[in-house]
Amino acid sequence: MIESQRHSYHLVDPSPWPISGSLGALATTVGGVMYMHSFQGGATLLSLGLIFILYTMFVWWRDVLRESTLEGHHTKVVQLGPRYGFILFIVSEVMFLFALFRASSHSSLAPTVEIGGIWPPKGIAVLDPREIPFLNTLIPLSSGAAVTWAHHAILAGKEKRAVYALVATVSLALVFTAFQGMEYYQAPSTISDSIYGSTFFLATGFHGFHVIIGTLFSIVCGIRQYLGHLTKEHHVGFEAAAWYWHFVDVVRLFPFVSIYWWGGI
């Protein structure tokens, strides 16, 4: 840190990334609407907006890593901000996914006459919850144990074991994603098949998307651990990834019970 600084807070330097991210989001939104309504140039604007957002994400996070790892600006006080912010983010994600699972539970507990008064709706074939769905519930829980192993290895100063644990976490995540894709390929229903298809593919699809995000998060943490960026005193980025991964693990139980089990027994 700068020697003349007499406080433990980080006063960030001026950055172009907030405005560039806003412009990218604007281009993505406008381009998406134009594309959905078949306007000329909509697909191009949408693609440029997404590229702009991804570039902004990369360079902004690059700057944050430099400030924390190389420049030492992230003191104990500064680290509280990202921790509290990420906890609030996870809470918002819990609310979002709970709404999807609640829609499925509502329809299954009190099926309306429009779907035949039964659950699953009449004419809808479902997956056996004791096959791939059950296996794909055990895999995330196992990966949660692996990421906990990585956390304890970092706290103990065992860098290689932490890398091995993160490799195991990512491997299990990739296996889960492959099984999820196989499940969708073999699914006897589609997203347009009544309320069952809508809630099934929305809930499991968004959970699968969160698994992909968590996988990328874990890969980045594994690379940073290999490069020696994470220490027992400073590993906020890994803590955020571990919290996110445990959230994804626990959330998997909700679609298994509310969608697979209630719909498949």
Side-chain angles (χ1 to χ4, degrees), residues 2 9 26 42 50 69 82 142 151 171 176 183 189 196 204 214 236 240:
I2 301 175
Y9 297 92
L26 176 63
L50 290 173
T69 306
S142 302
H151 194 186
S171 300
F176 171 89
E183 181 181 271
S189 58
Y196 179 85
T204 59
V236 177

Side-chain angles (χ1 to χ4, degrees), residues 94-159:
V94 170
M95 301 301 177
F96 171 74
L97 290 171
F98 176 79
L100 297 178
F101 303 145
R102 181 66 186 88
S104 174
S105 300
H106 171 78
S107 300
S108 61
L109 292 173
T112 61
V113 294
E114 287 80 6
I115 59 175
I118 58 173
W119 189 263
K122 188 176 181 179
I124 299 296
V126 299
L127 295 166
D128 188 342
R130 291 159 293 194
E131 295 180 352
I132 291 181
F134 181 68
L135 178 61
N136 249 14
T137 303
L138 296 179
I139 291 175
L141 296 176
S142 302
S143 66
V147 80
T148 302
W149 172 28
H151 194 186
H152 283 280
I154 292 174
L155 293 176
K158 299 177 180 178
E159 293 82 1

Side-chain angles (χ1 to χ4, degrees), residues 69-236:
T69 306
L70 303 180
E71 299 175 9
H73 287 301
H74 286 196
T75 61
K76 293 293 184 182
V77 174
V78 174
Q79 291 177 34
L80 291 177
R83 282 195 174 98
Y84 292 155
F86 204 81
I87 290 173
L88 291 175
F89 167 71
I90 291 178
V91 170
S92 70
E93 291 288 282
V94 170
M95 301 301 177
F96 171 74
L97 290 171
F98 176 79
L100 297 178
F101 303 145
R102 181 66 186 88
S104 174
S105 300
H106 171 78
S107 300
S108 61
L109 292 173
T112 61
V113 294
E114 287 80 6
I115 59 175
I118 58 173
W119 189 263
K122 188 176 181 179
I124 299 296
V126 299
L127 295 166
D128 188 342
R130 291 159 293 194
E131 295 180 352
I132 291 181
F134 181 68
L135 178 61
N136 249 14
T137 303
L138 296 179
I139 291 175
L141 296 176
S142 302
S143 66
V147 80
T148 302
W149 172 28
H151 194 186
H152 283 280
I154 292 174
L155 293 176
K158 299 177 180 178
E159 293 82 1
K160 288 186 177 181
R161 290 190 181 182
V163 173
Y164 296 154
L166 285 169
V167 169
T169 303
V170 171
S171 300
L172 288 169
L174 293 176
V175 171
F176 171 89
T177 304
F179 276 129
Q180 189 74 47
M182 183 189 305
E183 181 181 271
Y184 280 177
Y185 181 77
Q186 297 177 350
S189 58
T190 66
I191 195 172
S192 60
D193 287 332
S194 77
I195 185 64
Y196 179 85
S198 300
T199 54
F200 172 82
F201 283 99
L202 271 177
T204 59
F206 270 110
H207 176 263
F209 174 73
H210 282 76
V211 170
I212 293 173
I213 298 299
T215 303
L216 297 175
F217 211 164
S218 300
I219 290 174
V220 172
C221 287
I223 295 173
R224 293 191 64 203
Q225 175 63 30
Y226 180 77
L227 296 176
H229 290 181
L230 307 179
T231 64
K232 63 176 70 176
E233 295 84 13
H234 190 288
H235 52 274
V236 177

